[in-house]
Amino acid sequence: MNQINENSQPISVLLVDDHTLFRSGIRSLLQRHPEFNVVGEAADGVEGIKRAKQLAPQVVLLDLHMPGMSGLETLHLLLQDCPDSAIVMLTVSEDAQDLAAALKAGASGYLLKNIDTDYLTRAVRRAAAGETVVAEAMTSKLVAQLQAGARPAEPASEIDRLTPREREILDCLARGESNKVIARSLDLSESTVKIHVQNVLKKLNLSSRVQAAVFAVEHRRAQQG
């Protein structure tokens, strides 16, 4: 069942993609659901940045490969000019390096254009709630990319910075649980969980829940090995 966000206002969405028909399809798809409001569209990065400044959307769905200003260049500028917007890449690229570059740059998610309607609506909802969303088909590629040596980690020393409660939160992140599920399982409020997640990411010098999940897996393997 679809849920309206906490303040009962629709989630505002901006579409940035150079394909008019694709934008029209996504707009039509999202606006079938009263919890979403597509507030604008843009056909390139320059126009996308301009529209984002004007409209302050909660979520921007951004194509990765566009003529002129690329999706990554647009992402960097959007993060500077619209820090409160969640920027989710929506692309055909299944390249692990594109995925890693987008998340490292600060994207709130990486989705493939062949995902189904329900997955897209859930992902937009989660991105608006501050979560990182990655297409299931890309998760294993992300793990492989990070394990290839992208981040020099010292799991044993870094994990010691966490409190016992924060370690519980990290375990939940490793299982891919949402804030709502974590709150229910640990008998905490969602706002408290959100604070704990932020503290975990800060202490471990990570930028997303996905990276935290990978960190937890690597730490577990280090202990077992």
Side-chain angles (χ1 to χ4, degrees):
M1 181 181 296
N2 292 331
Q3 298 177 341
I4 303 296
N5 54 335
E6 292 180 358
N7 60 8
S8 297
Q9 295 297 316
I11 297 170
S12 56
V13 181
L14 173 66
L15 308 177
V16 184
D17 192 292
D18 61 308
H19 292 94
T20 303
L21 287 177
F22 181 77
R23 295 199 312 272
S24 297
I26 296 297
R27 172 187 280 274
S28 175
L29 184 157
L30 290 177
Q31 292 194 158
R32 294 175 192 167
H33 303 264
E35 65 183 310
F36 303 115
N37 179 25
V38 179
V39 294
E41 300 179 22
D44 56 53
V46 173
E47 181 66 17
I49 294 167
K50 179 181 177 181
R51 298 288 282 162
K53 288 181 180 179
Q54 293 171 339
L55 300 168
Q58 290 170 268
V59 178
V60 178
L61 294 180
L62 174 64
D63 191 13
L64 182 62
H65 297 298
M66 298 184 291
M69 183 182 292
S70 73
L72 281 180
E73 291 173 316
T74 305
L75 170 64
H76 283 292
L77 293 174
L78 283 172
L79 290 171
Q80 294 175 20
D81 295 336
C82 306
D84 294 329
S85 297
I87 317 299
V88 178
M89 312 308 292
L90 185 56
T91 177
V92 297
S93 174
E94 298 186 31
D95 187 279
Q97 292 185 345
D98 283 343
L99 168 66
L103 295 181
K104 184 177 180 180
S108 296
Y110 193 99
L111 304 176
L112 300 177
K113 287 185 176 181
N114 62 1
I115 59 175
D116 61 36
T117 299
D118 289 341
Y119 194 97
L120 177 62
T121 54
R122 288 197 304 271
V124 172
R125 194 181 305 123
R126 290 174 58 195
E131 299 183 32
T132 301
V133 291
V134 176
E136 291 179 357
M138 298 299 293
T139 303
S140 61
K141 294 184 180 183
L142 176 63
V143 172
Q145 184 75 8
L146 293 177
Q147 288 180 335
R151 194 178 72 89
E154 296 179 4
S157 60
E158 291 184 355
I159 204 78
D160 289 340
R161 302 174 190 173
L162 303 183
T163 66
R165 175 64 81 186
E166 288 166 353
R167 294 190 191 195
E168 287 183 307
I169 296 290
L170 181 62
D171 288 339
C172 293
L173 294 178
R175 293 191 291 270
E177 295 177 0
S178 67
N179 286 356
K180 181 176 292 187
V181 172
I182 296 173
R184 186 163 57 244
S185 65
L186 298 182
D187 195 24
L188 300 170
S189 69
E190 285 191 59
S191 58
T192 299
V193 170
K194 185 176 181 179
I195 292 171
H196 282 311
V197 171
Q198 291 172 343
N199 288 340
V200 168
L201 296 181
K202 183 176 180 180
K203 288 183 179 181
L204 297 180
N205 193 29
L206 302 172
S207 59
S208 75
R209 300 165 71 95
V210 174
Q211 289 185 349
V214 173
F215 176 94
V217 171
E218 290 178 339
H219 174 67
R220 191 176 300 124
R221 286 177 178 173
Q223 286 186 316
Q224 293 173 348

